[in-house]
């Protein structure tokens, strides 16, 4: 597919304040999410990361500006067109947990059962391939409570992949995971993306590590966005809020590079 997977043009999002006036969360921001690549969205608490994801999924509407998905203007999309649009996304949000009363196999096969006319054999074959790819073979009959945090994330990823999404949205993929499980999820994610070719947007605070995956990093701050394509670019930024971000997320080694220049 040519062109960006997603494009924001001058998107404004405001919320009314209790005390009167408005809070500007996105202040006419413009950016593109390249097709087939990984974009990481970072930024402090309350800076608008979730709002950005909700705008992409049309769970929330922009107050001004336009949003495009593969060139289609989705800013005001409704009804059947909106339903169709949503089938093009795979979503892995923290809130969208696995169903505790369903086994691994039942959780992963659910989207195919609900949204396709595939036979039980076809579902079994497809789910089997994904479970094997994500190292979950042998765990099909287990319930989420019997799995480690890392395995639960892998089951969530397996489920999000079933409808072959064009774009995968992944909110805080490694929260609650230890460093080994974090690397594991990143590796599996990169392998799966190489095989399936989807575009992805990951909301993460894990900036030094996530650069092994990211093709670009967008940092949100006070309604504005800065786009970076390498860790060095972030380290060498002269903007005070980026330097503060480096200090708090990347640590002293990176900061000392900054000071030396
Ligand atoms: N439905 C809403 N109504 C009013 N204000 C909202 C609404 N949704 C989000 N906000 C406000 O918009 C701002 C951005 O929220 P958002 O959830 O996108 O932050 P975030 O960057 O995802 O933060 P965190 O890292 O803490 O999850 C916050 O100040 C929040 O209070």
């Amino acid at each position: 597919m040519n062109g960006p997977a997603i494009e924001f043009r001058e998107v404004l999002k405001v919320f009314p304040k209790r005390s009167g006036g408005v809070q500007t969360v996105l202040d006419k921001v413009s950016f593109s999410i390249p097709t087939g690549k990984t974009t990481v969205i970072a930024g402090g608490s309350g800076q608008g990361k979730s709002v950005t994801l909700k705008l992409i999924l049309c769970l929330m509407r922009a107050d001004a500006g336009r949003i495009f998905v593969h060139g289609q203007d989705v800013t005001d999309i409704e009804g059947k067109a909106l339903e169709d649009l949503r089938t093009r996304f795979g979503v892995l949000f923290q809130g969208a947990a696995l169903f505790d009363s369903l086994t691994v196999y039942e959780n992963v096969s659910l989207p195919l059962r609900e949204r396709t006319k595939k036979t039980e054999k076809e579902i079994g074959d497809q789910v089997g391939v994904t479970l094997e790819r994500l190292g979950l073979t042998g765990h099909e009959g287990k319930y989420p409570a019997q799995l480690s945090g890392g395995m639960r994330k892998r089951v969530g990823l397996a489920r999000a992949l079933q409808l072959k999404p064009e774009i995968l949205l992944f909110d805080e993929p490694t929260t609650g995971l230890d460093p080994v499980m974090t690397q594991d999820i990143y590796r599996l994610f990169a392998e799966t993306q190489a095989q399936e070719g989807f575009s992805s947007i990951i909301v993460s605070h894990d900036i030094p590590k996530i650069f092994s995956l990211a093709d670009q990093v967008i940092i949100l701050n006070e309604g504005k966005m800065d786009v970076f394509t390498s860790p060095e670019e972030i380290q060498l930024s002269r903007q005070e809020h980026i330097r503060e971000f480096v200090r708090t997320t990347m640590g002293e080694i990176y900061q000392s590079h900054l000071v030396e220049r």
Side-chain angles (χ1 to χ4, degrees), residues 15 23 25 44-51 60 205:
F15 292 109
Q23 174 195 9
V25 177
S45 185
Q47 296 295 336
K49 302 181 295 294
S50 302
V51 164
M60 222 176 230
H205 292 288

Side-chain angles (χ1 to χ4, degrees), residues 13-17 23-26 41-54 60 94 171-172 203 205 220:
K13 185 68 199 167
V14 298
F15 292 109
K17 276 192 196 164
Q23 174 195 9
T24 303
V25 177
L26 298 182
I41 300 182
S45 185
Q47 296 295 336
K49 302 181 295 294
S50 302
V51 164
T52 303
L53 294 187
K54 285 178 188 161
M60 222 176 230
Q94 281 184 65
D171 194 7
E172 298 283 1
V203 168
H205 292 288
L220 267 168

Side-chain angles (χ1 to χ4, degrees), residues 208 235 243-260:
Q235 292 156 34
R243 295 176 68 145
E244 177 59 26
F245 186 80
V246 168
R247 277 192 285 275
T248 52
T249 62
M250 289 179 154
E252 290 306 313
I253 299 169
Y254 290 83
Q255 195 193 345
S256 64
H257 279 282
L258 236 168
V259 171
E260 276 164 25

Side-chain angles (χ1 to χ4, degrees), residues 6 8 11 13 15 25-26 31 41 48-62 67 69 74-75 77 82 85-86 89 91 93 95 169-171 201 203 220:
I6 294 169
F8 274 40
V11 170
K13 185 68 199 167
F15 292 109
V25 177
L26 298 182
F31 67 93
I41 300 182
K49 302 181 295 294
S50 302
V51 164
T52 303
L53 294 187
K54 285 178 188 161
L55 287 168
I56 291 171
L57 288 168
C58 301
L59 293 168
M60 222 176 230
R61 301 296 179 163
I67 299 174
V69 174
V74 302
T75 320
I77 199 169
L82 176 56
L85 175 74
R86 295 229 174 100
F89 289 98
V91 178
F93 283 5
L169 305 183
F170 211 166
D171 194 7
I201 303 172
V203 168
L220 267 168

Side-chain angles (χ1 to χ4, degrees), residues 3-163:
I6 294 169
E7 193 185 350
F8 274 40
R9 283 192 207 153
E10 302 268 305
V11 170
L12 175 75
K13 185 68 199 167
V14 298
F15 292 109
K17 276 192 196 164
R18 279 217 184 133
S19 53
V22 292
Q23 174 195 9
T24 303
V25 177
L26 298 182
D27 191 3
K28 298 191 181 158
V29 297
S30 300
F31 67 93
S32 295
I33 304 286
T35 298
K37 310 248 184 216
T38 297
T39 296
V40 171
I41 300 182
S45 185
Q47 296 295 336
K49 302 181 295 294
S50 302
V51 164
T52 303
L53 294 187
K54 285 178 188 161
L55 287 168
I56 291 171
L57 288 168
C58 301
L59 293 168
M60 222 176 230
R61 301 296 179 163
D63 293 299
R66 312 303 302 172
I67 299 174
F68 299 83
V69 174
H70 286 302
Q72 178 191 2
D73 188 338
V74 302
T75 320
D76 304 311
I77 199 169
E78 282 180 348
K80 172 86 170 63
L82 176 56
E83 269 174 47
D84 290 347
L85 175 74
R86 295 229 174 100
T87 65
R88 297 163 69 183
F89 289 98
V91 178
L92 198 47
F93 283 5
Q94 281 184 65
L98 302 173
F99 292 103
D100 289 337
S101 60
L102 301 183
T103 64
V104 167
Y105 179 82
E106 288 163 345
N107 264 291
V108 176
S109 58
L110 197 63
L112 293 173
R113 209 156 282 155
E114 286 188 337
R115 308 284 281 275
T116 72
K117 296 191 166 57
K118 284 182 189 283
T119 64
E120 207 48 46
K121 160 96 175 59
E122 287 166 335
I123 292 175
D125 289 347
Q126 180 176 326
V127 170
V129 169
T130 316
L131 292 182
E132 183 170 2
R133 193 180 281 169
L134 294 180
L136 291 165
T137 305
H139 300 285
E140 294 86 345
K142 289 189 179 162
Y143 290 89
Q146 297 172 292
L147 304 174
S148 68
M151 283 167 84
R152 280 200 290 273
K153 298 268 185 200
R154 282 191 260 156
V155 175
L157 179 58
R159 188 174 64 182
L161 291 170
Q162 288 315 303
L163 296 176

